[in-house]
């Protein structure tokens, strides 16, 4: 029997680097994955699902390196119910201080039909693959994909098989975000009550947010006996995303009176990692996002402002500093020095080496010459647009546009492509369209622009514009983002950023990772 403290402890399993990266266009570089893994480990995440090693050489390399570098967290790799997948997963995670193999198979009628397996054949496959995984690693997690739409009797049968074959964690995924909180709790309770050996393993929950109930479903499962929550930073993930780590952690902290469970997460690091994941994934956090959104601690109503001035608890159930958000928004300007910039960026959660600081400081000064006052959001936007220009094959050198009521709108563009400068002049339906046409003339491609968004970072006519673009080419989806006080320049930089990412995806060669049949794992 476990003691009460263990019974009340909820493990946080973060899958930002695997399920989160499955968001269309959210592919991260090797260095970015290592950075995010380090931040997850630092904040106290119990298990980091670092990737899907069989998917690509890049995934394998990232999981292997994260396994070697991580100091505290369990490092988990994903594998389908195939011997080759499991072997490759073990190759990647075996050097971790605490390795885990996570293997899965779809058990609902819809998913059984895909490999054309009947119930008995699938049960045999589960027995073989879980046994094989346990022979390699003593920490094995097994997931029946689409568990919430699997027949209860059959679900009990296969969960029992997985436990008997050595699985130490059983994850119950709501793969399509279909279930409701009451059903989530009843399903976990049913398995605990009916399956032999259920009291000897940890039940986990993995919920998708298609109906907006992922966090509620996860918390309901915990109240019914689950002791591991699978989640991602900012709720990043397939379709509508997953349970958001920041939401479950703060819900358990703020409402500990009715949900008396503990996590090992340092909540003061939440805002830092939220910003970094948004930056490297190219997925901005919506302003009204719970916990980490720009408006989460903002008040405009006169009644609310008056109440906040008298007592912050009038309209806030937690303090900004509880999640690592500074109460101050100090203004920087052109007279601010390098040390002040480093200190301010550290307050915002950005740790920079000397060379990186030198590059950022140059662009900070350029921004300060164009914008009198630079706020926290300006600096965050500046860091989000700081990809790795030294390694980019495509670089913007100059852009001049002609626009107005009398056409045609025209863009004169010079780019550096693989070290050589090329120039062109193109027209279009507006300055942005002309600029994009000019880029395409110098870098021919068949990618389709799926999304173009512009957001003002701060107020005022000199505000920076943050531009996000999403492009698709032959199933490869990439995003680009940049910020500049000139909206047209920001647009061109974001477009070039996306093209650089597309070139990286092309250069990986071989089978693209999204061709692997692992979408909607759970």
């Amino acid at each position: 029997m476990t003691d009460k403290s263990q019974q009340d402890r909820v493990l946080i399993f973060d899958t930002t680097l695997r399920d989160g990266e499955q968001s269309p266009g959210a592919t991260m570089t090797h260095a970015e994955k290592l950075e995010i893994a380090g931040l997850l480990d630092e904040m106290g995440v119990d298990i980091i699902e670092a990737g899907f090693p069989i998917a690509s050489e890049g995934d394998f390399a990232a999981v292997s390196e994260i396994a070697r570098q991580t100091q505290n967290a369990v490092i988990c790799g994903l594998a389908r119910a195939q011997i080759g997948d499991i072997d490759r997963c073990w190759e990647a995670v075996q050097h971790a201080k605490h390795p885990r193999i996570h293997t899965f198979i779809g058990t609902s009628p819809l998913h059984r039909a895909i490999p054309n397996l009947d119930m008995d054949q699938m049960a045999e496959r589960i027995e073989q693959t879980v046994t094989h995984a346990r022979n390699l690693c003593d920490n094995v997690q097994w997931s029946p994909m689409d568990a919430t739409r699997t027949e209860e009797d059959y679900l009990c049968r296969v969960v029992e098989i997985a436990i008997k074959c050595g699985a130490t964690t059983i994850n119950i995924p709501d793969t399509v975000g279909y279930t409701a909180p009451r059903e989530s709790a009843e399903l976990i309770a049913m398995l605990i009550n009916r399956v032999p050996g259920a009291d000897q393993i940890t039940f986990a929950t993995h919920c998708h947010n298609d109906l907006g109930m992922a966090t509620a479903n996860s918390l309901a499962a915990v109240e019914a006996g689950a002791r591991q929550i699978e989640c991602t930073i900012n709720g990043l993930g397939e379709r509508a995303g997953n349970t958001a780590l920041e939401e479950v952690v703060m819900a358990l902290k703020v409402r500990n009176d009715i949900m008396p469970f503990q996590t090992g997460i340092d909540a003061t690091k939440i805002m830092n990692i939220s910003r970094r994941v948004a930056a490297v994934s190219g997925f901005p956090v919506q302003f009204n996002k719970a916990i980490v959104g720009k408006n989460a601690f903002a008040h405009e109503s006169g009644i609310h402002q008056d109440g906040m001035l008298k007592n912050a608890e009038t309209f806030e159930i937690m303090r900004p500093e509880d999640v690592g958000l500074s109460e101050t928004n100090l203004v920087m300007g052109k007279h601010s020095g390098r040390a002040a910039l480093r200190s301010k960026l550290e307050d915002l959660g950005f740790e920079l080496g000397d060379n990186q600081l030198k590059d950022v400081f140059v662009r900070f000064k350029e921004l300060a010459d164009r914008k009198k006052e630079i706020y926290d959001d300006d600096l965050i936007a500046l860091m989000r647009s700081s990809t790795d220009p030294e390694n980019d094959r495509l670089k913007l050198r100059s852009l001049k546009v002609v626009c107005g009521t009398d056409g045609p709108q025209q863009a004169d563009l010079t780019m550096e492509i693989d070290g050589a400068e090329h120039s062109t002049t193109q027209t279009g339906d507006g300055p942005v369209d002309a600029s994009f046409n000019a880029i395409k003339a110098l870098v021919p491609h068949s990618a389709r622009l799926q999304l173009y968004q512009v957001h003002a970072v701060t107020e005022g006519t000199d505000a920076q514009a943050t531009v996000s673009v999403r492009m698709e080419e032959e199933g490869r989806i990439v995003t680009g983002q940049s910020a500049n006080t000139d909206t047209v320049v920001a647009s061109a930089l974001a477009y070039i950023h996306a093209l650089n990412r597309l070139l990286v995806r092309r250069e990986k060669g071989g089978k693209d990772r999204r061709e692997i049949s692992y979408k909607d794992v759970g």
Side-chain angles (χ1 to χ4, degrees):
M1 290 291 291
T2 57
D3 60 34
K4 188 178 187 301
S5 63
Q6 290 175 306
Q7 292 173 353
D8 293 343
R9 179 73 154 81
V10 175
L11 301 175
I12 298 298
F13 177 114
D14 186 275
T15 183
T16 301
L17 298 176
R18 196 277 300 168
D19 199 331
E21 210 208 6
Q22 285 176 221
S23 297
T27 300
M28 303 177 197
T29 66
H30 182 85
E32 288 167 347
K33 290 179 181 179
L34 296 182
E35 177 193 1
I36 297 303
L39 293 174
L40 291 170
D41 193 39
E42 184 181 318
M43 79 183 300
V45 165
D46 299 287
I47 306 102
I48 299 172
E49 189 165 55
F52 190 11
I54 197 69
S56 70
E57 289 300 323
D59 256 29
F60 178 84
V63 176
S64 299
E65 190 64 25
I66 290 170
R68 288 182 171 89
Q69 291 189 9
T70 301
Q71 297 299 309
N72 304 304
V74 172
I75 299 302
C76 176
L78 185 68
R80 293 168 297 183
Q82 298 179 12
I83 299 301
D85 271 40
I86 293 169
D87 287 342
R88 188 66 167 162
C89 181
W90 176 241
E91 286 182 59
V93 303
Q94 63 180 326
H95 300 293
K97 290 183 178 180
H98 313 288
R100 175 183 289 191
I101 295 174
H102 177 193
T103 182
F104 72 95
I105 194 168
T107 55
S108 69
L110 288 168
H111 284 269
R112 291 198 301 269
I114 295 173
N116 196 26
L117 296 176
D118 62 29
M119 288 182 170
D120 292 336
Q121 290 170 326
M122 179 163 285
E124 184 178 350
R125 173 80 67 85
I126 294 166
E127 182 177 3
Q128 292 171 345
T129 53
V130 175
T131 298
H132 183 70
R134 184 55 193 262
N135 286 337
L136 296 173
C137 181
D138 62 5
N139 189 338
V140 174
Q141 175 169 316
W142 179 74
S143 293
M145 185 166 64
D146 206 19
T148 55
R149 295 193 297 174
T150 299
E151 306 94 323
E152 285 192 358
D153 288 344
Y154 188 63
L155 185 61
C156 288
R157 176 185 173 187
V158 293
V159 166
E160 181 179 356
I161 290 171
I163 293 173
K164 287 182 176 178
C165 293
T168 50
T169 299
I170 300 294
N171 176 47
I172 304 301
D174 181 24
T175 303
V176 294
Y178 179 74
T179 199
R182 185 183 67 185
E183 295 171 312
S184 179
E186 290 175 348
L187 185 58
I188 294 294
M190 182 274 295
L191 291 169
I192 290 174
N193 290 330
R194 288 183 54 181
V195 176
D199 59 334
Q200 300 302 311
I201 56 94
T202 299
F203 276 98
T205 179
H206 181 130
C207 301
H208 280 258
N209 204 39
D210 297 70
L211 294 176
M213 296 190 286
T215 296
N217 285 334
S218 295
L219 294 173
V222 167
E223 291 191 281
R227 288 297 179 267
Q228 177 180 297
I229 295 177
E230 302 206 355
C231 47
T232 60
I233 301 297
N234 299 337
L236 197 64
E238 287 280 6
R239 303 183 313 278
N242 297 282
T243 299
L245 179 147
E246 60 274 8
E247 292 178 6
V248 293
V249 168
M250 294 310 296
L252 291 174
K253 182 176 181 179
V254 174
R255 294 312 313 271
N256 197 252
D257 55 330
I258 62 169
M259 295 182 290
F261 307 104
Q262 310 296 324
T263 74
I265 298 296
D266 180 353
T268 64
K269 299 186 183 300
I270 284 175
M271 192 60 70
N272 173 19
I273 195 167
S274 170
R275 288 167 171 165
R276 292 305 296 142
V277 168
V280 302
S281 68
F283 277 61
V285 178
Q286 66 193 59
F287 282 13
N288 62 337
K289 176 80 167 67
I291 315 299
V292 294
K294 182 179 179 179
N295 291 348
F297 296 97
H299 304 270
E300 185 169 327
S301 162
I303 295 175
H304 283 225
Q305 290 178 341
D306 181 67
M308 286 293 298
L309 290 171
K310 294 174 179 176
N311 183 350
E313 292 182 0
T314 306
F315 290 105
E316 284 187 354
I317 58 174
M318 55 192 151
R319 301 172 302 167
E321 53 266 36
D322 290 343
V323 295
L325 183 64
S326 173
E327 287 188 286
T328 59
N329 188 10
L330 299 180
V331 178
M332 303 284 286
K334 65 180 181 180
H335 299 298
S336 300
R338 191 171 304 188
L341 177 62
R342 182 196 289 273
S343 176
K344 186 61 176 176
L345 289 173
E346 287 177 352
D347 288 343
L348 294 174
F350 298 96
E351 300 286 341
L352 303 183
D354 290 339
N355 289 337
Q356 190 179 8
L357 177 64
K358 182 179 179 181
D359 172 64
V360 171
F361 187 68
V362 170
R363 286 182 289 107
F364 165 74
K365 285 294 188 180
E366 292 173 351
L367 176 61
D369 285 337
R370 302 192 305 269
K371 192 174 189 296
K372 183 177 179 181
E373 296 178 331
I374 300 176
Y375 295 91
D376 291 359
D377 287 338
D378 291 309
L379 293 175
I380 292 168
L382 185 70
M383 292 304 299
R384 285 178 177 172
S385 62
S386 303
T387 51
D388 190 3
E390 295 302 319
N391 295 323
D392 286 347
R393 292 176 56 189
L394 311 177
K395 300 177 183 179
L396 176 66
R397 286 308 179 208
S398 68
L399 174 64
K400 180 180 179 181
V401 297
V402 177
C403 61
T405 57
D406 298 326
Q409 286 76 36
Q410 177 180 299
D412 299 326
L413 174 74
T414 299
M415 289 181 62
E416 181 181 310
I417 303 173
D418 292 330
E421 287 196 357
H422 302 267
S423 299
T424 187
T425 297
Q426 300 291 325
T427 60
D429 185 14
V432 172
D433 187 52
S435 300
F436 285 8
N437 288 341
I439 295 170
K440 192 170 183 178
L442 294 181
V443 188
H445 60 84
S446 59
R448 184 173 64 89
L449 184 65
Q450 291 186 327
L451 176 72
Y452 171 75
Q453 287 183 334
V454 181
H455 297 287
V457 175
T458 54
E459 297 179 352
T461 57
D462 65 347
Q464 284 195 100
T466 294
V467 177
S468 301
V469 301
R470 184 166 67 226
M471 304 168 68
E472 183 271 334
E473 181 187 69
E474 297 178 356
R476 300 182 183 94
I477 299 176
V478 293
T479 59
Q481 191 177 74
S482 190
N484 197 284
T485 53
D486 188 318
T487 304
V488 179
V489 172
S491 301
L493 288 170
Y495 195 83
I496 292 170
H497 181 201
L499 285 176
N500 274 308
R501 286 189 162 192
L502 183 61
L503 292 177
V504 171
R505 294 285 297 277
R506 287 177 182 172
E507 290 167 0
K508 286 182 178 180
K511 196 170 188 179
D512 188 81
R513 76 190 305 272
R514 296 190 190 283
E515 296 175 18
I516 299 290
S517 178
Y518 77 111
K519 278 200 167 190
D520 294 334
V521 168

Coordinates of all heavy atoms in Angstrom, one line a residue, residues 20 75 96 100 140 147 175 207 234 248 260 313 316-317 346 363 508:
G20 N 2.5 18.0 -28.6 CA 2.5 19.4 -29.0 C 3.1 19.8 -30.3 O 2.6 20.6 -31.1
I75 N 12.5 10.3 -18.8 CA 12.5 10.6 -20.2 C 11.8 9.5 -21.0 O 12.2 8.3 -20.9 CB 13.9 10.9 -20.8 CG1 14.5 12.0 -20.1 CG2 13.8 11.1 -22.3 CD1 13.7 13.3 -20.2
A96 N 19.1 7.7 -20.6 CA 18.5 8.5 -19.5 C 18.7 8.0 -18.2 O 18.8 6.8 -18.0 CB 17.0 8.7 -19.8
R100 N 11.8 5.6 -20.0 CA 10.5 5.0 -20.0 C 10.1 4.8 -21.5 O 10.4 5.6 -22.4 CB 9.4 5.9 -19.4 CG 7.9 5.3 -19.6 CD 6.9 6.3 -19.0 NE 6.9 6.3 -17.6 CZ 5.9 6.9 -16.8 NH1 4.9 7.4 -17.4 NH2 6.0 6.9 -15.5
V140 N 7.4 1.0 -18.1 CA 6.6 0.9 -19.4 C 5.3 1.5 -19.2 O 4.5 1.1 -18.2 CB 6.5 -0.6 -19.8 CG1 5.6 -0.7 -21.1 CG2 7.9 -1.2 -20.1
A147 N -9.5 5.2 -26.1 CA -10.0 4.4 -25.0 C -11.5 4.8 -24.6 O -12.3 3.9 -24.3 CB -9.2 4.5 -23.7
T175 N -8.9 10.4 -27.1 CA -8.1 10.8 -28.3 C -8.8 11.9 -29.1 O -8.1 12.7 -29.7 CB -7.8 9.6 -29.1 OG1 -7.1 8.6 -28.3 CG2 -7.0 9.9 -30.4
C207 N -6.2 14.0 -22.3 CA -7.4 14.5 -22.8 C -7.2 15.6 -23.9 O -6.4 16.5 -23.7 CB -8.3 15.1 -21.7 SG -8.7 13.9 -20.4
N234 N 0.7 25.5 -22.8 CA -0.2 26.3 -23.6 C -1.3 25.5 -24.2 O -2.1 25.9 -25.0 CB 0.5 27.1 -24.6 CG 1.5 28.1 -24.1 OD1 1.4 28.5 -22.9 ND2 2.5 28.5 -24.9
V248 N -4.0 22.8 -15.2 CA -4.2 21.8 -14.2 C -3.3 22.1 -12.9 O -3.8 21.9 -11.8 CB -3.9 20.4 -14.7 CG1 -4.9 19.9 -15.8 CG2 -2.5 20.2 -15.3
P260 N -7.6 18.0 -3.1 CA -6.4 18.0 -2.2 C -5.3 17.1 -2.8 O -4.9 16.2 -2.2 CB -7.0 17.4 -0.9 CG -8.1 16.5 -1.3 CD -8.7 17.1 -2.5
E313 N -7.6 40.8 -4.3 CA -8.4 39.5 -4.2 C -9.9 39.7 -4.6 O -10.6 38.8 -4.8 CB -8.3 39.0 -2.8 CG -7.0 38.5 -2.4 CD -6.9 37.8 -1.1 OE1 -8.0 37.8 -0.4 OE2 -5.9 37.4 -0.6
E316 N -9.2 38.8 -8.4 CA -8.2 37.9 -8.8 C -8.1 36.8 -7.8 O -7.9 37.0 -6.6 CB -6.8 38.6 -9.0 CG -6.7 39.5 -10.2 CD -5.3 40.0 -10.4 OE1 -4.4 39.9 -9.5 OE2 -5.0 40.6 -11.5
I317 N -8.1 35.5 -8.3 CA -8.0 34.4 -7.5 C -6.6 33.9 -7.3 O -6.4 32.9 -6.5 CB -8.9 33.2 -8.0 CG1 -8.5 32.8 -9.4 CG2 -10.4 33.7 -8.0 CD1 -9.2 31.6 -10.0
E346 N 16.2 38.5 -18.5 CA 16.2 37.4 -17.5 C 14.9 37.5 -16.7 O 14.3 36.4 -16.4 CB 17.4 37.5 -16.6 CG 18.7 37.1 -17.3 CD 19.9 37.3 -16.4 OE1 19.8 37.9 -15.3 OE2 21.0 36.9 -16.8
R363 N 19.7 44.6 -32.3 CA 18.3 44.8 -32.8 C 17.5 45.6 -31.8 O 16.6 46.3 -32.2 CB 17.7 43.4 -33.1 CG 18.3 42.8 -34.4 CD 17.8 41.5 -34.8 NE 18.2 40.5 -33.9 CZ 17.4 39.9 -33.0 NH1 16.1 40.3 -32.9 NH2 17.8 39.0 -32.2
K508 N 15.7 17.4 -44.6 CA 15.7 16.2 -43.8 C 15.6 15.0 -44.6 O 16.2 13.9 -44.3 CB 14.5 16.2 -42.8 CG 14.7 17.2 -41.7 CD 13.5 17.2 -40.7 CE 13.7 18.1 -39.5 NZ 12.6 18.0 -38.6

